[in-house]
Amino acid sequence: MSFTGKYELQSQENFEPFMKALGLPDDQIQKGKDIKSISEIVQDGKKFKITVTTGSKVLHNEFVIGEECEMEMLTGEKVKAVVQMEGNNRLVANLKGLKSVTELNGDTITNTLTMGDLTYKRISKRI
């Protein structure tokens, strides 16, 4: 199953408490909560390029499944991580106390971020 495509954010759960826990300033949280972000994924075998555009903020990460890479977090901090593929439709990464699971089902991508007992869920649809 290929992840390649453009996806628009449809809904999200726990955005504000999660961003507060990450340490984002309130003004950024308020600006970001109503913006429909667009995720663009290019998959070439085990190689991925992911660009997430939220308003004027662009987050760009590249990685190869199973290899250590440097990833930019929502706060702008860069951390080392290894992304694993589970089955043919789940990407799992652990970034500095944060677990990210991205699951593709048909034209819907669900991204779940977990930090301690706090979970933030984003659901995006292919456009």
Side-chain angles (χ1 to χ4, degrees):
M1 187 178 291
S2 176
F3 281 80
T4 297
K6 265 190 174 182
Y7 302 86
E8 183 180 30
L9 181 66
Q10 299 296 310
S11 66
Q12 54 189 2
E13 296 165 19
N14 276 344
F15 176 79
E16 287 184 66
F18 197 85
M19 295 305 144
K20 271 191 190 357
L22 275 181
L24 252 63
D26 284 346
D27 62 324
Q28 274 189 13
I29 293 171
Q30 290 309 313
K31 270 192 240 165
K33 73 174 185 176
D34 297 319
I35 296 174
K36 294 281 188 214
S37 68
I38 302 285
S39 303
E40 187 168 0
I41 302 174
V42 178
Q43 179 183 357
D44 181 9
K46 289 183 161 195
K47 216 174 166 181
F48 283 77
K49 286 183 189 175
I50 299 179
T51 306
V52 181
T53 306
T54 308
S56 60
K57 180 147 177 52
V58 179
L59 197 65
H60 182 76
N61 284 309
E62 291 186 31
F63 58 88
V64 176
I65 298 294
E67 292 182 17
E68 188 177 71
C69 65
E70 190 176 76
M71 297 191 89
E72 187 179 346
M73 295 186 54
L74 297 165
T75 55
E77 183 183 358
K78 294 191 184 311
V79 295
K80 296 225 176 287
V82 177
V83 181
Q84 300 292 351
M85 178 83 85
E86 290 182 358
N88 65 351
N89 71 330
R90 276 168 67 100
L91 299 172
V92 179
N94 287 297
L95 320 144
K96 201 181 160 201
L98 184 78
K99 183 177 184 182
S100 169
V101 178
T102 303
E103 192 167 347
L104 177 66
N105 286 307
D107 284 340
T108 304
I109 261 187
T110 304
N111 181 230
T112 308
L113 298 173
T114 309
M115 186 171 52
D117 57 2
L118 198 54
T119 300
Y120 166 49
K121 193 173 186 179
R122 299 165 43 96
I123 297 171
S124 302
K125 253 193 156 5
R126 194 184 296 262
I127 53 174

